[in-house]
Amino acid sequence: MSTMTDVSHESKLPQERRLVTAVPGPKSEELMARKQATVADGVGAVMPVFAKRASGGVLEDVDGNSFIDFGAGIAVTSVGNSAEAVVRRATAQLEAFTHTCVMVTPYEPYVEVCERLAELTPGDHAKKSALFNSGAEAVENAVKIARTHTKRQAVIVFDHAYHGRTNLTMALTAKNMPYKHGFGPFAPEVYRVPVAYPYRWLTGPENCAEEAATEAIDQITKQVGAENVAAILIEPVLGEGGFIEPAKGFLPRISEFAREHDIVFIADEIQSGFCRTGRWFACEDEGIVPDLITTAKGIAGGLPLAAVTGRAEIMDSAHSGGLGGTYGGNPVACAAALGSIETMREFDLPARARQIEQVMKPRLRKLAEQHGVIGDVRGRGAMLAIELVKPGTKDPDPAATSALAKACHQDGLLVLTTGTYGNVMRFLPPLVISEDLLNEGLDVLERALGTL
């Protein structure tokens, strides 16, 4: 295994795990009391600590505790927090102007981001983009574009999918709690079909791709009618559903079915895109060239920006004025995105993600051999996960997952849980994290497993 190159030298904070108070500390507890008094209860928090600074692979709280960051703001700060190029470009743009609304007076950074997206996204066809604020907005607009292009209404989504929290994207999302519960009714003409989930496919992972694709296509054909389908929407690696990698062969079958029936194939790369899985985009792993691709999270180094990019003739289907929004493609966020892409290219962050996998996956597999609570180890690049089950079964164990996360937090490791059953721990370190911090974080995880 090749040694990871160190790209964390620009970090503004000592790259170390450091605990100087209990977790949470007194300043965080004071702030949490203020939060509970004035912030809606629906806005939860994974860790009861308040961030003060973050850089490279660590996050420091207001009490001076420094946590190893295995979350990256849910795959947002892939280039590290406050990366030099992001700060430099965003600062220059802040000093020039902060807003005009691109629909009133356009500006060059918006065009530049669209140019970069045309270069980086899969396929050599002519492409165009539209920029928005959030992943959910990008998905909603991708559906709008697909519907106006095809003059059809139905949208196909998959088991375990997550696509957002707005009304339409809640309909597209599979999991009820906490994303949908009590918030209906939801948008119509959304149909859900099976996904190839190898670990939980009843006849075994070796049959998963073929059987799941056949079942999904059969349901679309019989229950919806291919001629009524505007779009098939899927995450090439399912995020909130549990970091599920569809079995090899499933995505090509679904993509080919879409092409045969003039259905717009949309890859939701909001969590998996921008170097996270070891390629610029996860759909490249099986050579998938989507008609439309949605991006957000890692695109702008922490500033709110999202995009729909796709075939020019599809993107141009919407009438003038039909796409947009007051803040969509804000100039400061666009400048930050250009800095983020500059960093990804300078440090070859797809390769860095593959190096992170080479460090983490063997250790996670060894832990799985030692602890029966780990039922599956999966993922690609720096988008990895363990699924926790009751030993000797595949019964999900969300209680053990929650306890494991809390033990990690108490010992200075920021981790996130996920999954339809709440039993998956996901690992999304910044792609600039050092190998030493990666291994120390895994040491913390190993100790935490010993407490279960």
Side-chain angles (χ1 to χ4, degrees), residues 23 53 79 113 151 187 195 201 211 229 338 372 391 409 439 447:
V23 179
R53 299 187 297 172
V79 296
V113 170
K151 306 298 188 288
V195 74
W201 198 254
E211 291 180 0
V229 177
L338 295 170
H409 297 163
N439 277 309
R447 287 196 297 271

Side-chain angles (χ1 to χ4, degrees), residues 167-236:
N167 187 265
L168 174 58
T169 58
M170 280 191 294
L172 302 171
T173 291
K175 189 175 179 179
N176 175 53
M177 193 66 167
Y179 306 120
K180 303 167 70 168
H181 186 73
F183 296 145
F186 303 114
E189 287 302 305
V190 174
Y191 301 88
R192 194 169 311 283
V193 297
V195 74
Y197 187 168
Y199 179 65
R200 295 197 171 274
W201 198 254
L202 290 178
T203 61
E206 66 279 3
N207 301 313
C208 183
E210 179 63 28
E211 291 180 0
T214 298
E215 190 172 336
I217 290 169
D218 184 63
Q219 288 186 20
I220 296 167
T221 303
K222 290 181 177 176
Q223 298 180 26
V224 186
E227 67 277 10
N228 297 316
V229 177
I232 294 176
L233 171 65
I234 191 167
E235 303 155 273

Side-chain angles (χ1 to χ4, degrees), residues 236-311:
V237 178
L238 281 72
E240 304 301 311
F243 279 32
I244 300 163
E245 285 188 275
K248 300 297 184 193
F250 177 80
L251 287 173
R253 276 280 311 276
I254 300 298
S255 175
E256 178 61 28
F257 173 79
R259 185 163 49 252
E260 289 172 353
H261 295 277
D262 297 320
I263 297 167
V264 177
F265 185 84
I266 306 171
D268 179 342
E269 292 259 16
I270 287 159
Q271 190 162 175
S272 61
F274 284 100
C275 312
R276 177 55 57 180
T277 64
R279 297 177 182 267
W280 278 92
F281 299 96
C283 58
E284 296 177 89
D285 186 65
E286 291 187 89
I288 303 295
V289 178
D291 297 310
L292 301 178
I293 185 167
T294 61
T295 53
K297 290 193 183 290
I299 192 174
L303 275 72
L305 187 70
V308 182
T309 303
R311 299 183 185 278

Side-chain angles (χ1 to χ4, degrees), residues 78 88 111 124 233 284 413 440:
S78 296
R88 168 170 39 85
V111 177
D124 57 6
L233 171 65
E284 296 177 89
L413 176 64
E440 187 176 357

Side-chain angles (χ1 to χ4, degrees), residues 4 69-72 74-79 237 243 245 271-279 282 349-361 364 378-385 416 425-433 438:
M4 284 178 62
D69 185 2
F70 275 15
I74 317 183
V76 168
T77 55
S78 296
V79 296
V237 178
F243 279 32
E245 285 188 275
Q271 190 162 175
S272 61
F274 284 100
C275 312
R276 177 55 57 180
T277 64
R279 297 177 182 267
L349 293 193
R352 284 281 305 175
R354 296 192 295 271
Q355 289 176 321
I356 288 170
E357 179 182 351
Q358 289 171 2
V359 171
M360 292 190 71
K361 216 169 195 180
L364 293 173
R378 57 179 178 257
R380 296 199 302 271
M383 188 174 182
L384 303 172
L416 306 171
M425 181 170 284
R426 54 179 161 175
F427 307 108
L428 292 161
L431 303 183
V432 297
I433 194 170
L438 272 183

